[in-house]
Amino acid sequence: MAVTDEAIGKIKQMIVAGELRPGDRLPREPDLAERLGLSRNSLREAVKALSLIRVLDVRQGDGTYVTSLDPAMLLDALSFVVDFHRDDTVLQFLEVRRILEPAATALAAQRIGDEELAKLWSVLDALGEDPSIDELVANDLEFHRQIAACAGNKLLSSLLDSLSGPTTRARIWRGLTQEGAVHKTREQHAAILEAIASRQPELARSWATVHIAGVEEWLGRIV
């Protein structure tokens, strides 16, 4: 594995140094192996590993290319890792959300357009007076996803999207067990959206913090 790690590191260095750019085709395997001082087998394993995390794209019969290196695509690997979370790490995921999501909400208040704002109001209005738990959670996920998208930062949006999965069960659990969860969610979502709509980033940040910290505090009491 150490030899493969060395091969990965050398290819990574070529990309970081600009010798290989997004969309470039890698040199032929024997040529690249000789250039990097690697065996063809270790190079092959490195290419395989880098293709799994979407850094390289192996095209059968054509060659191996550097991908676009788009942050959203590269963060697919993070999503894979996140899927292996344990229930006792959910509070840690919520803690990270509490750090990142208020920042995204503040950015959304500064950058959101009228059409995006109308979509957010539609999401809020779509939550009926007596939704099922599935409807509540789906609405909550979509509300936060759209806010993150409105922040205008693909990397931040992708990070938050990756972190949303592990907290879904906590959202369901809260909806099932906490009295007034639907009302509280709707009330806090409305406050967040009002702050965004009035272009008050710090107020939007504060309400987002209150919203996520409330779930975190509730979960901390019962686990």
Side-chain angles (χ1 to χ4, degrees):
M1 179 58 74
V3 177
T4 302
D5 288 344
E6 180 188 359
I8 291 171
K10 287 184 174 181
I11 296 173
K12 175 186 172 183
Q13 186 54 43
M14 289 181 71
I15 296 172
V16 171
E19 296 177 60
L20 289 172
R21 297 181 179 279
D24 282 356
R25 188 174 187 266
L26 267 64
R28 293 173 59 250
E29 185 182 276
D31 296 337
L32 185 58
E34 182 179 357
R35 176 178 171 182
L36 297 178
L38 301 167
S39 71
R40 291 177 66 174
N41 185 60
S42 62
L43 177 60
R44 200 172 295 129
E45 290 300 315
V47 167
K48 192 181 300 182
L50 289 169
S51 68
L52 286 173
I53 59 172
R54 311 289 292 278
V55 172
L56 298 178
D57 179 21
V58 180
R59 303 176 189 174
Q60 198 66 34
D62 185 15
T64 300
Y65 292 79
V66 180
T67 66
S68 66
L69 302 180
D70 180 80
M73 180 180 66
L74 294 179
L75 282 169
D76 281 348
L78 175 62
S79 298
F80 183 81
V81 174
V82 164
D83 284 341
F84 288 102
H85 81 282
R86 304 183 310 274
D87 284 348
D88 60 0
T89 64
V90 172
L91 275 171
Q92 294 179 33
F93 282 103
L94 279 168
E95 185 174 50
V96 176
R97 274 191 65 206
R98 177 168 48 81
I99 294 168
L100 295 179
E101 199 156 321
T105 307
L107 285 173
Q110 295 173 294
R111 299 173 176 176
I112 195 167
D114 291 342
E115 186 176 337
E116 295 166 320
L117 189 57
K119 287 180 181 178
L120 268 173
W121 282 117
S122 295
V123 172
L124 186 66
D125 293 341
L127 189 63
E129 290 299 323
D130 188 27
S132 67
I133 296 303
D134 286 345
E135 289 169 339
L136 174 65
V137 172
N139 186 274
D140 184 53
L141 288 169
E142 181 62 15
F143 183 78
H144 290 285
R145 186 193 68 77
Q146 287 202 25
I147 289 176
C150 291
N153 184 311
K154 287 186 178 181
L155 179 57
L156 180 57
S157 178
S158 297
L159 276 169
L160 287 170
D161 193 47
S162 299
L163 293 168
S164 67
T167 61
T168 299
R169 186 182 297 183
R171 288 171 159 110
I172 294 172
W173 195 3
R174 185 191 189 203
L176 286 169
T177 61
Q178 187 181 37
E179 185 177 352
V182 175
H183 175 73
K184 186 169 290 186
T185 296
R186 188 200 310 278
E187 187 178 66
Q188 291 177 352
H189 280 189
I192 291 169
L193 189 46
E194 289 282 1
I196 292 173
S198 59
R199 305 298 197 275
Q200 298 185 69
E202 291 311 312
L203 182 59
R205 185 198 303 272
S206 297
W207 272 114
T209 302
V210 167
H211 181 53
I212 298 164
V215 180
E216 187 182 3
E217 188 271 337
W218 166 80
L219 188 62
R221 290 200 315 268
I222 63 174
V223 296

